[in-house]
Amino acid sequence: MGKLQNRIALVTGGTTGIGLATAKLFAEEGAKVTVTGTNPRTLEAARSELRGIARVVASDAGSEADIASLADSFARDGTGLDVLFLNAGIVKTAPIAQLDEAAFDESFRINVKGPLLAIKHFSPLMRPGGSIVLTGSIVGQTGIVGGSVYSATKAAIRSLGRTAAAELAEAKIRVNVVSPGPTDSGVIEKGATAEQSEATKRALIERSPQRRLGTSEEVARAVLFLASDDASFITGAELMVDGGWTGVR
Ligand SMILES: NC(=O)c1ccc[n+]([C@@H]2O[C@H](COP(=O)([O-])OP(=O)(O)OC[C@H]3O[C@@H](n4cnc5c(N)ncnc54)[C@H](OP(=O)(O)O)[C@@H]3O)[C@@H](O)[C@H]2O)c1
């Protein structure tokens, strides 16, 4: 029997990368999975890749109207919800001297406000024994040049995970954060030339104790652990999936 047999799961930002790999793994483990995204091209690609495996829904993870409407659809279906993987996120980097206010607002809208509102709207639908997993990042704990806004959003996620774990403990819902290190999810290639992304990868590999990037599947396995009953005594925690990036020198 799968680790998520007969569970109902929602993965925000499940059309590519870590979210897509996790949606596939959840489904393999017996869950009925819905994934969200916003980009018409990746939504279409995910629909064809996840056909028969998961439902793909266009829904902006930073919009309360979209979140509430998706929660209403789960409520109308009457299926409840067991696993909520709040993974949608964007990465915008720039030195503080070149800080762009619109990039700040959009980053906090999608990376922080969205997960908060998702917990507000979805947790009332969750059954006892349910699990919420938030995607943080190693940069919530370490300083990197150009990371001010993105890193702050991920530090906020770390904090949100603790508060939500405290508030939802009585409802028997666990809340944890999975914090990946540099992962070869396709995000490094976004908005970069082939040469730029190769250079970024080389620099990240050079700094990594395991001398490699992680894979989306490796992060997905950690998310599955936190989502399943294997982690039944774990809440308010942060699991680093980073090849030793934060803990090893
Ligand atoms: N890869 C890494 O090295 C790394 C390291 C640490 C943390 N992370 C975190 O891991 C998460 C997944 O990133 P990834 O590496 O897998 O990159 P990715 O492939 O770019 O995945 C991002 C996902 O979020 C979705 N998304 C973005 N804006 C959204 C919105 N407004 N509403 C709904 N969905 C939205 C994207 O779908 P659409 O484009 O269709 O909207 C996509 O499915 C992010 O939270 C990221 O910060 C990644």
Side-chain angles (χ1 to χ4, degrees), residues 151-221:
S151 302
T153 68
K154 294 304 185 180
I157 283 296
R158 180 65 194 89
S159 171
L160 171 60
R162 291 196 185 107
T163 304
E167 292 193 7
L168 296 173
E170 205 173 315
K172 298 192 170 25
I173 296 166
R174 297 178 297 103
V175 186
N176 293 290
V177 176
V178 68
S179 285
T183 305
D184 201 5
S185 64
V187 74
I188 294 168
E189 286 82 354
K190 278 187 174 172
T193 64
E195 275 160 21
Q196 286 167 337
S197 52
E198 275 316 307
T200 304
K201 285 184 186 182
R202 269 199 307 276
L204 291 169
I205 289 167
E206 183 64 28
R207 277 189 61 182
S208 172
Q210 289 194 346
R211 295 287 181 268
R212 68 177 180 92
L213 303 178
T215 67
S216 295
E217 290 71 22
E218 287 174 310
V219 180
R221 287 197 290 275

Short mmCIF file of all heavy atoms in Angstrom, two decimals, residues 151-221:
data_model
loop_
_atom_site.label_atom_id
_atom_site.label_comp_id
_atom_site.label_asym_id
_atom_site.label_seq_id
_atom_site.Cartn_x
_atom_site.Cartn_y
_atom_site.Cartn_z
N SER A 151 15.60 35.72 -0.28
CA SER A 151 15.99 35.09 0.99
C SER A 151 15.04 35.50 2.11
O SER A 151 14.68 34.68 2.95
CB SER A 151 17.42 35.47 1.36
OG SER A 151 18.31 35.10 0.34
N ALA A 152 14.63 36.75 2.11
CA ALA A 152 13.69 37.22 3.15
C ALA A 152 12.35 36.51 3.02
O ALA A 152 11.72 36.18 4.03
CB ALA A 152 13.51 38.74 3.05
N THR A 153 11.91 36.23 1.78
CA THR A 153 10.64 35.50 1.64
C THR A 153 10.77 34.10 2.22
O THR A 153 9.83 33.58 2.83
CB THR A 153 10.15 35.41 0.16
OG1 THR A 153 11.03 34.58 -0.61
CG2 THR A 153 10.01 36.77 -0.48
N LYS A 154 11.92 33.49 2.04
CA LYS A 154 12.09 32.12 2.52
C LYS A 154 12.29 32.09 4.04
O LYS A 154 11.88 31.12 4.69
CB LYS A 154 13.23 31.43 1.77
CG LYS A 154 12.92 31.22 0.28
CD LYS A 154 11.63 30.44 0.06
CE LYS A 154 11.35 30.10 -1.39
NZ LYS A 154 10.11 29.34 -1.58
N ALA A 155 12.91 33.12 4.60
CA ALA A 155 12.99 33.21 6.07
C ALA A 155 11.58 33.40 6.65
O ALA A 155 11.25 32.84 7.70
CB ALA A 155 13.90 34.37 6.47
N ALA A 156 10.76 34.15 5.94
CA ALA A 156 9.37 34.33 6.39
C ALA A 156 8.62 33.01 6.36
O ALA A 156 7.81 32.72 7.25
CB ALA A 156 8.67 35.37 5.50
N ILE A 157 8.88 32.19 5.36
CA ILE A 157 8.24 30.87 5.27
C ILE A 157 8.64 30.01 6.47
O ILE A 157 7.81 29.30 7.05
CB ILE A 157 8.63 30.19 3.93
CG1 ILE A 157 7.84 30.80 2.79
CG2 ILE A 157 8.44 28.68 3.99
CD1 ILE A 157 6.34 30.59 2.86
N ARG A 158 9.91 30.10 6.83
CA ARG A 158 10.39 29.33 7.99
C ARG A 158 9.60 29.73 9.25
O ARG A 158 9.19 28.89 10.04
CB ARG A 158 11.90 29.58 8.18
CG ARG A 158 12.48 28.84 9.33
CD ARG A 158 12.41 27.35 9.06
NE ARG A 158 12.65 26.55 10.25
CZ ARG A 158 11.71 26.16 11.11
NH1 ARG A 158 10.44 26.52 10.93
NH2 ARG A 158 12.02 25.41 12.14
N SER A 159 9.38 31.04 9.39
CA SER A 159 8.63 31.54 10.54
C SER A 159 7.16 31.12 10.45
O SER A 159 6.58 30.65 11.44
CB SER A 159 8.76 33.07 10.58
OG SER A 159 7.90 33.60 11.54
N LEU A 160 6.59 31.25 9.28
CA LEU A 160 5.18 30.88 9.09
C LEU A 160 4.95 29.41 9.43
O LEU A 160 3.94 29.05 10.04
CB LEU A 160 4.77 31.16 7.63
CG LEU A 160 3.40 30.65 7.18
CD1 LEU A 160 2.28 31.25 8.02
CD2 LEU A 160 3.18 30.94 5.70
N GLY A 161 5.90 28.57 9.06
CA GLY A 161 5.78 27.13 9.36
C GLY A 161 5.64 26.89 10.85
O GLY A 161 4.83 26.05 11.29
N ARG A 162 6.40 27.63 11.65
CA ARG A 162 6.33 27.44 13.11
C ARG A 162 4.99 27.92 13.66
O ARG A 162 4.37 27.25 14.48
CB ARG A 162 7.46 28.21 13.79
CG ARG A 162 8.84 27.65 13.53
CD ARG A 162 9.81 28.25 14.55
NE ARG A 162 11.18 27.83 14.29
CZ ARG A 162 12.12 28.62 13.80
NH1 ARG A 162 11.85 29.87 13.49
NH2 ARG A 162 13.34 28.16 13.61
N THR A 163 4.56 29.11 13.22
CA THR A 163 3.28 29.65 13.72
C THR A 163 2.12 28.74 13.35
O THR A 163 1.27 28.42 14.18
CB THR A 163 3.02 31.06 13.14
OG1 THR A 163 4.14 31.89 13.44
CG2 THR A 163 1.75 31.68 13.70
N ALA A 164 2.09 28.33 12.08
CA ALA A 164 0.98 27.48 11.62
C ALA A 164 1.00 26.15 12.36
O ALA A 164 -0.06 25.60 12.70
CB ALA A 164 1.06 27.28 10.11
N ALA A 165 2.21 25.63 12.64
CA ALA A 165 2.30 24.35 13.38
C ALA A 165 1.68 24.52 14.77
O ALA A 165 0.96 23.65 15.26
CB ALA A 165 3.75 23.91 13.49
N ALA A 166 1.94 25.68 15.40
CA ALA A 166 1.38 25.94 16.73
C ALA A 166 -0.14 26.06 16.66
O ALA A 166 -0.87 25.48 17.46
CB ALA A 166 2.00 27.21 17.32
N GLU A 167 -0.61 26.81 15.66
CA GLU A 167 -2.05 27.07 15.59
C GLU A 167 -2.86 25.85 15.17
O GLU A 167 -4.03 25.73 15.51
CB GLU A 167 -2.33 28.24 14.63
CG GLU A 167 -1.80 29.56 15.16
CD GLU A 167 -2.32 30.77 14.40
OE1 GLU A 167 -3.19 30.62 13.52
OE2 GLU A 167 -1.83 31.88 14.70
N LEU A 168 -2.25 24.95 14.40
CA LEU A 168 -3.02 23.81 13.85
C LEU A 168 -2.78 22.51 14.61
O LEU A 168 -3.36 21.47 14.25
CB LEU A 168 -2.69 23.63 12.36
CG LEU A 168 -3.12 24.81 11.48
CD1 LEU A 168 -2.62 24.65 10.05
CD2 LEU A 168 -4.65 24.95 11.48
N ALA A 169 -1.96 22.58 15.67
CA ALA A 169 -1.65 21.34 16.42
C ALA A 169 -2.92 20.72 16.99
O ALA A 169 -3.10 19.50 16.95
CB ALA A 169 -0.65 21.64 17.53
N GLU A 170 -3.82 21.56 17.51
CA GLU A 170 -5.03 21.03 18.12
C GLU A 170 -5.93 20.31 17.09
O GLU A 170 -6.61 19.34 17.42
CB GLU A 170 -5.80 22.16 18.78
CG GLU A 170 -6.68 21.67 19.91
CD GLU A 170 -7.31 22.83 20.67
OE1 GLU A 170 -6.59 23.81 20.97
OE2 GLU A 170 -8.51 22.74 20.94
N ALA A 171 -5.88 20.80 15.85
CA ALA A 171 -6.66 20.15 14.78
C ALA A 171 -5.94 18.91 14.25
O ALA A 171 -6.41 18.27 13.31
CB ALA A 171 -6.89 21.14 13.65
N LYS A 172 -4.79 18.58 14.87
CA LYS A 172 -3.99 17.40 14.47
C LYS A 172 -3.49 17.51 13.03
O LYS A 172 -3.46 16.54 12.27
CB LYS A 172 -4.76 16.10 14.70
CG LYS A 172 -5.12 15.88 16.17
CD LYS A 172 -5.61 14.49 16.42
CE LYS A 172 -5.75 14.11 17.88
NZ LYS A 172 -5.96 15.18 18.85
N ILE A 173 -3.10 18.74 12.68
CA ILE A 173 -2.47 18.97 11.37
C ILE A 173 -1.03 19.38 11.63
O ILE A 173 -0.77 20.29 12.41
CB ILE A 173 -3.21 20.09 10.59
CG1 ILE A 173 -4.65 19.65 10.30
CG2 ILE A 173 -2.47 20.43 9.30
CD1 ILE A 173 -5.55 20.77 9.84
N ARG A 174 -0.10 18.67 11.00
CA ARG A 174 1.32 18.99 11.15
C ARG A 174 1.74 19.98 10.05
O ARG A 174 1.19 19.95 8.95
CB ARG A 174 2.17 17.72 11.04
CG ARG A 174 1.91 16.71 12.13
CD ARG A 174 2.73 15.44 11.97
NE ARG A 174 2.43 14.72 10.76
CZ ARG A 174 3.16 14.72 9.66
NH1 ARG A 174 4.30 15.41 9.60
NH2 ARG A 174 2.80 14.03 8.59
N VAL A 175 2.69 20.86 10.40
CA VAL A 175 3.18 21.83 9.42
C VAL A 175 4.70 21.84 9.48
O VAL A 175 5.29 22.02 10.57
CB VAL A 175 2.66 23.26 9.70
CG1 VAL A 175 3.07 24.20 8.56
CG2 VAL A 175 1.16 23.28 9.89
N ASN A 176 5.34 21.62 8.35
CA ASN A 176 6.80 21.60 8.29
C ASN A 176 7.31 22.30 7.04
O ASN A 176 6.54 22.54 6.10
CB ASN A 176 7.30 20.14 8.29
CG ASN A 176 7.02 19.44 9.61
OD1 ASN A 176 7.64 19.75 10.63
ND2 ASN A 176 6.05 18.51 9.62
N VAL A 177 8.59 22.61 7.07
CA VAL A 177 9.23 23.29 5.93
C VAL A 177 10.30 22.37 5.35
O VAL A 177 11.09 21.80 6.11
CB VAL A 177 9.87 24.62 6.39
CG1 VAL A 177 10.63 25.28 5.25
CG2 VAL A 177 8.81 25.56 6.95
N VAL A 178 10.30 22.23 4.04
CA VAL A 178 11.41 21.54 3.39
C VAL A 178 12.25 22.62 2.70
O VAL A 178 11.71 23.46 1.98
CB VAL A 178 10.91 20.45 2.41
CG1 VAL A 178 10.20 21.01 1.22
CG2 VAL A 178 12.04 19.56 1.96
N SER A 179 13.54 22.64 3.00
CA SER A 179 14.39 23.70 2.46
C SER A 179 15.47 23.12 1.55
O SER A 179 16.50 22.62 2.01
CB SER A 179 15.02 24.51 3.60
OG SER A 179 14.05 25.36 4.16
N PRO A 180 15.22 23.20 0.23
CA PRO A 180 16.20 22.66 -0.71
C PRO A 180 17.43 23.55 -0.81
O PRO A 180 17.35 24.78 -0.65
CB PRO A 180 15.46 22.65 -2.05
CG PRO A 180 14.02 22.91 -1.74
CD PRO A 180 14.01 23.68 -0.45
N GLY A 181 18.55 22.90 -1.11
CA GLY A 181 19.72 23.62 -1.59
C GLY A 181 19.61 23.73 -3.10
O GLY A 181 18.54 23.46 -3.67
N PRO A 182 20.72 24.11 -3.77
CA PRO A 182 20.66 24.27 -5.23
C PRO A 182 20.20 22.98 -5.91
O PRO A 182 20.83 21.94 -5.75
CB PRO A 182 22.11 24.60 -5.60
CG PRO A 182 22.72 25.12 -4.35
CD PRO A 182 22.03 24.43 -3.22
N THR A 183 19.10 23.08 -6.63
CA THR A 183 18.45 21.90 -7.20
C THR A 183 18.29 22.11 -8.70
O THR A 183 17.86 23.18 -9.14
CB THR A 183 17.05 21.71 -6.54
OG1 THR A 183 17.24 21.66 -5.12
CG2 THR A 183 16.38 20.45 -7.02
N ASP A 184 18.61 21.06 -9.45
CA ASP A 184 18.57 21.15 -10.91
C ASP A 184 17.14 20.95 -11.41
O ASP A 184 16.82 19.96 -12.05
CB ASP A 184 19.50 20.07 -11.49
CG ASP A 184 19.91 20.38 -12.90
OD1 ASP A 184 19.56 21.47 -13.40
OD2 ASP A 184 20.59 19.54 -13.52
N SER A 185 16.28 21.94 -11.10
CA SER A 185 14.85 21.82 -11.36
C SER A 185 14.44 22.49 -12.66
O SER A 185 13.29 22.40 -13.07
CB SER A 185 14.08 22.51 -10.22
OG SER A 185 14.39 23.90 -10.23
N GLY A 186 15.36 23.22 -13.27
CA GLY A 186 15.04 24.02 -14.45
C GLY A 186 14.95 25.50 -14.11
O GLY A 186 14.93 26.35 -15.00
N VAL A 187 14.91 25.83 -12.80
CA VAL A 187 14.74 27.24 -12.42
C VAL A 187 15.99 28.07 -12.77
O VAL A 187 15.87 29.26 -13.09
CB VAL A 187 14.36 27.36 -10.92
CG1 VAL A 187 15.54 27.10 -10.00
CG2 VAL A 187 13.74 28.72 -10.63
N ILE A 188 17.15 27.43 -12.74
CA ILE A 188 18.39 28.18 -13.01
C ILE A 188 18.40 28.67 -14.47
O ILE A 188 18.92 29.74 -14.79
CB ILE A 188 19.63 27.30 -12.71
CG1 ILE A 188 19.70 27.02 -11.20
CG2 ILE A 188 20.93 27.96 -13.19
CD1 ILE A 188 20.68 25.94 -10.79
N GLU A 189 17.75 27.89 -15.34
CA GLU A 189 17.73 28.24 -16.77
C GLU A 189 16.75 29.38 -17.07
O GLU A 189 16.83 30.01 -18.12
CB GLU A 189 17.34 27.02 -17.61
CG GLU A 189 18.42 25.96 -17.74
CD GLU A 189 18.51 25.01 -16.55
OE1 GLU A 189 17.80 25.25 -15.54
OE2 GLU A 189 19.29 24.06 -16.62
N LYS A 190 15.79 29.62 -16.13
CA LYS A 190 14.74 30.61 -16.41
C LYS A 190 15.34 32.02 -16.56
O LYS A 190 16.01 32.50 -15.65
CB LYS A 190 13.70 30.63 -15.28
CG LYS A 190 12.66 29.54 -15.41
CD LYS A 190 11.55 29.70 -14.37
CE LYS A 190 10.45 28.69 -14.60
NZ LYS A 190 9.46 28.67 -13.51
N GLY A 191 15.10 32.65 -17.68
CA GLY A 191 15.55 34.02 -17.91
C GLY A 191 17.06 34.15 -18.03
O GLY A 191 17.60 35.25 -17.88
N ALA A 192 17.76 33.04 -18.28
CA ALA A 192 19.23 33.10 -18.40
C ALA A 192 19.63 32.50 -19.74
O ALA A 192 18.93 31.63 -20.29
CB ALA A 192 19.88 32.32 -17.26
N THR A 193 20.77 32.93 -20.26
CA THR A 193 21.30 32.28 -21.46
C THR A 193 21.90 30.94 -21.04
O THR A 193 22.16 30.71 -19.85
CB THR A 193 22.41 33.13 -22.10
OG1 THR A 193 23.50 33.21 -21.16
CG2 THR A 193 21.93 34.54 -22.44
N ALA A 194 22.16 30.08 -22.03
CA ALA A 194 22.77 28.77 -21.74
C ALA A 194 24.11 28.97 -21.03
O ALA A 194 24.43 28.26 -20.07
CB ALA A 194 22.95 27.99 -23.03
N GLU A 195 24.88 29.98 -21.50
CA GLU A 195 26.20 30.21 -20.88
C GLU A 195 26.05 30.66 -19.43
O GLU A 195 26.78 30.21 -18.55
CB GLU A 195 26.96 31.29 -21.65
CG GLU A 195 27.71 30.73 -22.83
CD GLU A 195 28.05 31.81 -23.85
OE1 GLU A 195 28.08 33.01 -23.47
OE2 GLU A 195 28.25 31.44 -25.01
N GLN A 196 25.09 31.57 -19.20
CA GLN A 196 24.88 32.07 -17.82
C GLN A 196 24.45 30.94 -16.89
O GLN A 196 24.97 30.81 -15.78
CB GLN A 196 23.80 33.17 -17.80
CG GLN A 196 24.27 34.49 -18.37
CD GLN A 196 23.10 35.45 -18.64
OE1 GLN A 196 21.95 35.03 -18.81
NE2 GLN A 196 23.40 36.73 -18.68
N SER A 197 23.53 30.10 -17.36
CA SER A 197 23.06 29.05 -16.45
C SER A 197 24.15 28.02 -16.21
O SER A 197 24.29 27.52 -15.08
CB SER A 197 21.74 28.42 -16.92
OG SER A 197 21.84 28.00 -18.23
N GLU A 198 24.96 27.72 -17.21
CA GLU A 198 26.09 26.79 -16.99
C GLU A 198 27.06 27.38 -15.98
O GLU A 198 27.56 26.67 -15.09
CB GLU A 198 26.82 26.51 -18.32
CG GLU A 198 26.20 25.40 -19.14
CD GLU A 198 25.81 24.16 -18.31
OE1 GLU A 198 26.68 23.63 -17.59
OE2 GLU A 198 24.64 23.75 -18.36
N ALA A 199 27.34 28.68 -16.09
CA ALA A 199 28.27 29.33 -15.15
C ALA A 199 27.70 29.30 -13.73
O ALA A 199 28.42 29.03 -12.76
CB ALA A 199 28.54 30.77 -15.60
N THR A 200 26.39 29.57 -13.61
CA THR A 200 25.75 29.53 -12.28
C THR A 200 25.86 28.14 -11.70
O THR A 200 26.23 27.95 -10.53
CB THR A 200 24.26 29.93 -12.39
OG1 THR A 200 24.19 31.22 -12.99
CG2 THR A 200 23.58 29.96 -11.03
N LYS A 201 25.56 27.13 -12.51
CA LYS A 201 25.62 25.75 -12.01
C LYS A 201 27.04 25.39 -11.58
O LYS A 201 27.23 24.78 -10.53
CB LYS A 201 25.13 24.77 -13.09
CG LYS A 201 23.63 24.77 -13.28
CD LYS A 201 23.21 23.72 -14.28
CE LYS A 201 21.73 23.83 -14.57
NZ LYS A 201 21.24 22.83 -15.49
N ARG A 202 28.03 25.78 -12.40
CA ARG A 202 29.42 25.45 -12.04
C ARG A 202 29.79 26.07 -10.70
O ARG A 202 30.40 25.43 -9.84
CB ARG A 202 30.38 25.98 -13.12
CG ARG A 202 30.68 24.96 -14.21
CD ARG A 202 31.95 25.31 -14.99
NE ARG A 202 31.94 26.68 -15.52
CZ ARG A 202 31.36 27.04 -16.66
NH1 ARG A 202 30.75 26.14 -17.40
NH2 ARG A 202 31.40 28.29 -17.07
N ALA A 203 29.37 27.33 -10.49
CA ALA A 203 29.70 28.02 -9.23
C ALA A 203 29.01 27.35 -8.04
O ALA A 203 29.60 27.19 -6.97
CB ALA A 203 29.28 29.49 -9.33
N LEU A 204 27.77 26.94 -8.23
CA LEU A 204 27.03 26.28 -7.14
C LEU A 204 27.64 24.92 -6.81
O LEU A 204 27.81 24.56 -5.63
CB LEU A 204 25.55 26.11 -7.53
CG LEU A 204 24.74 27.41 -7.63
CD1 LEU A 204 23.39 27.16 -8.29
CD2 LEU A 204 24.55 28.03 -6.25
N ILE A 205 28.01 24.17 -7.86
CA ILE A 205 28.61 22.84 -7.65
C ILE A 205 29.93 22.97 -6.91
O ILE A 205 30.24 22.21 -5.99
CB ILE A 205 28.79 22.12 -9.02
CG1 ILE A 205 27.41 21.72 -9.55
CG2 ILE A 205 29.72 20.94 -8.91
CD1 ILE A 205 27.38 21.29 -11.01
N GLU A 206 30.69 23.98 -7.29
CA GLU A 206 32.00 24.24 -6.65
C GLU A 206 31.86 24.43 -5.14
O GLU A 206 32.68 23.96 -4.36
CB GLU A 206 32.60 25.49 -7.32
CG GLU A 206 33.96 25.90 -6.87
CD GLU A 206 35.02 24.85 -7.21
OE1 GLU A 206 34.85 24.11 -8.21
OE2 GLU A 206 35.99 24.79 -6.45
N ARG A 207 30.78 25.12 -4.72
CA ARG A 207 30.58 25.42 -3.29
C ARG A 207 29.90 24.28 -2.53
O ARG A 207 29.81 24.33 -1.31
CB ARG A 207 29.68 26.67 -3.14
CG ARG A 207 30.42 27.97 -3.26
CD ARG A 207 29.51 29.12 -2.88
NE ARG A 207 29.03 29.07 -1.50
CZ ARG A 207 28.19 29.95 -0.97
NH1 ARG A 207 27.75 30.95 -1.70
NH2 ARG A 207 27.80 29.84 0.28
N SER A 208 29.40 23.30 -3.26
CA SER A 208 28.58 22.27 -2.61
C SER A 208 29.45 21.14 -2.07
O SER A 208 30.29 20.61 -2.80
CB SER A 208 27.58 21.72 -3.63
OG SER A 208 26.93 20.61 -3.07
N PRO A 209 29.25 20.72 -0.80
CA PRO A 209 30.05 19.63 -0.24
C PRO A 209 29.97 18.35 -1.07
O PRO A 209 30.96 17.62 -1.17
CB PRO A 209 29.43 19.41 1.15
CG PRO A 209 28.83 20.73 1.50
CD PRO A 209 28.34 21.31 0.20
N GLN A 210 28.84 18.06 -1.68
CA GLN A 210 28.73 16.85 -2.50
C GLN A 210 29.17 17.08 -3.95
O GLN A 210 29.10 16.17 -4.78
CB GLN A 210 27.28 16.33 -2.50
CG GLN A 210 26.86 15.73 -1.18
CD GLN A 210 25.56 14.91 -1.30
OE1 GLN A 210 24.84 14.99 -2.30
NE2 GLN A 210 25.26 14.13 -0.28
N ARG A 211 29.59 18.30 -4.25
CA ARG A 211 30.06 18.66 -5.60
C ARG A 211 29.04 18.32 -6.68
O ARG A 211 29.38 17.81 -7.77
CB ARG A 211 31.40 17.97 -5.92
CG ARG A 211 32.54 18.44 -5.04
CD ARG A 211 33.01 19.85 -5.41
NE ARG A 211 34.12 20.29 -4.58
CZ ARG A 211 33.97 20.98 -3.44
NH1 ARG A 211 32.76 21.33 -3.02
NH2 ARG A 211 35.01 21.35 -2.74
N ARG A 212 27.78 18.60 -6.38
CA ARG A 212 26.73 18.40 -7.38
C ARG A 212 25.49 19.18 -6.95
O ARG A 212 25.37 19.60 -5.79
CB ARG A 212 26.38 16.92 -7.55
CG ARG A 212 25.69 16.29 -6.33
CD ARG A 212 25.31 14.84 -6.61
NE ARG A 212 24.65 14.20 -5.48
CZ ARG A 212 23.32 14.16 -5.31
NH1 ARG A 212 22.53 14.75 -6.16
NH2 ARG A 212 22.80 13.54 -4.26
N LEU A 213 24.56 19.36 -7.90
CA LEU A 213 23.25 19.92 -7.56
C LEU A 213 22.35 18.78 -7.11
O LEU A 213 22.60 17.62 -7.43
CB LEU A 213 22.62 20.58 -8.80
CG LEU A 213 23.44 21.69 -9.47
CD1 LEU A 213 22.68 22.21 -10.70
CD2 LEU A 213 23.71 22.84 -8.50
N GLY A 214 21.28 19.12 -6.39
CA GLY A 214 20.28 18.11 -6.06
C GLY A 214 19.34 17.93 -7.24
O GLY A 214 19.37 18.70 -8.22
N THR A 215 18.50 16.91 -7.16
CA THR A 215 17.48 16.72 -8.19
C THR A 215 16.11 17.00 -7.58
O THR A 215 15.92 16.91 -6.36
CB THR A 215 17.48 15.27 -8.73
OG1 THR A 215 17.06 14.38 -7.68
CG2 THR A 215 18.86 14.86 -9.22
N SER A 216 15.15 17.31 -8.44
CA SER A 216 13.77 17.56 -7.98
C SER A 216 13.25 16.31 -7.28
O SER A 216 12.51 16.41 -6.29
CB SER A 216 12.87 17.91 -9.16
OG SER A 216 13.28 19.12 -9.73
N GLU A 217 13.62 15.13 -7.76
CA GLU A 217 13.13 13.87 -7.18
C GLU A 217 13.67 13.70 -5.76
O GLU A 217 12.97 13.16 -4.89
CB GLU A 217 13.55 12.67 -8.06
CG GLU A 217 12.81 12.60 -9.40
CD GLU A 217 13.23 13.68 -10.40
OE1 GLU A 217 14.35 14.24 -10.28
OE2 GLU A 217 12.42 13.96 -11.31
N GLU A 218 14.90 14.14 -5.51
CA GLU A 218 15.45 14.02 -4.15
C GLU A 218 14.67 14.91 -3.17
O GLU A 218 14.43 14.53 -2.03
CB GLU A 218 16.94 14.37 -4.14
CG GLU A 218 17.80 13.30 -4.77
CD GLU A 218 19.26 13.71 -4.88
OE1 GLU A 218 19.54 14.81 -5.39
OE2 GLU A 218 20.13 12.93 -4.48
N VAL A 219 14.29 16.10 -3.63
CA VAL A 219 13.49 16.98 -2.77
C VAL A 219 12.10 16.36 -2.58
O VAL A 219 11.56 16.33 -1.47
CB VAL A 219 13.37 18.40 -3.37
CG1 VAL A 219 12.53 19.29 -2.46
CG2 VAL A 219 14.77 19.01 -3.59
N ALA A 220 11.54 15.81 -3.67
CA ALA A 220 10.20 15.21 -3.60
C ALA A 220 10.15 14.11 -2.54
O ALA A 220 9.15 13.99 -1.81
CB ALA A 220 9.80 14.66 -4.97
N ARG A 221 11.21 13.32 -2.43
CA ARG A 221 11.20 12.22 -1.45
C ARG A 221 11.15 12.76 -0.02
O ARG A 221 10.54 12.17 0.86
CB ARG A 221 12.41 11.30 -1.66
CG ARG A 221 12.27 10.43 -2.91
CD ARG A 221 13.22 9.26 -2.90
NE ARG A 221 14.62 9.64 -3.07
CZ ARG A 221 15.20 9.83 -4.25
NH1 ARG A 221 14.52 9.67 -5.36
NH2 ARG A 221 16.48 10.16 -4.33
#
